Amino acid sequence: MNDTLAFNEIHDLHVLIEDWFTGRSPVAALDTLLARFSEDFSMVGIRGIRLDKPALADLFASARGSRPGLRITVDAMQYLPLAPAACAVRYREDQVGAEGTGHRREALAVLVSRPDGTLRWQALHETVVGS
């Protein structure tokens, strides 16, 4: 695993999430989105609540098209190697809605490499910060 592969995964997932929340993705894209997460995935979101993969799936399923005009950008990525097949990536995420307001988050994601070389999200922790 290397930083380029990890950074591309962070970016690519956020494109999928933006497309899902804006409604640009078809309903069938939910499976593609959820496949990026390991079966034992967990995250602590901005409300401080821990979600497992089934809870994340429910959240995504109910949120398709709920934020038309949403724009998500990620930057300030920092690669943190953990093991030959795992890393953490620290990054900043900005979400801006159609009305022009939004939130900035600092996030830390743990990614694990599968035998086929694809990455899966193992864990995610997000915190809202000032802009």
Side-chain angles (χ1 to χ4, degrees):
M1 183 179 320
N2 60 54
D3 60 347
T4 302
L5 184 63
F7 292 170
N8 286 343
E9 175 58 28
I10 299 292
H11 177 266
D12 293 349
L13 179 70
H14 284 85
V15 169
L16 291 173
I17 292 171
E18 179 183 294
D19 288 347
W20 183 258
F21 283 137
T22 60
R24 291 189 299 256
S25 293
V27 172
L30 181 59
D31 291 338
T32 301
L33 178 59
L34 292 174
R36 303 303 267 262
F37 300 94
S38 66
E39 290 307 311
D40 57 348
F41 171 80
S42 70
M43 76 174 274
V44 176
I46 61 173
R47 293 187 176 97
I49 298 169
R50 183 177 300 202
L51 301 176
D52 59 11
K53 187 171 180 180
L56 182 70
D58 290 345
L59 177 125
F60 280 136
S62 67
R64 182 179 172 274
S66 65
R67 298 187 62 195
L70 174 68
R71 288 173 287 133
I72 300 174
T73 58
V74 293
D75 64 5
M77 288 189 261
Q78 180 184 11
Y79 179 76
L80 307 163
L82 299 175
C87 74
V89 177
R90 183 170 302 170
Y91 62 93
R92 181 174 50 213
E93 175 183 342
D94 287 305
Q95 292 191 9
V96 178
E99 69 287 346
T101 61
H103 299 281
R104 171 167 282 174
R105 306 158 190 233
E106 286 288 333
L108 180 67
V110 176
L111 306 176
V112 176
S113 180
R114 294 170 36 108
D116 65 3
T118 59
L119 299 181
R120 292 293 176 264
W121 290 64
Q122 184 73 37
L124 176 64
H125 188 107
E126 299 179 319
T127 301
V128 172
V129 295
S131 24

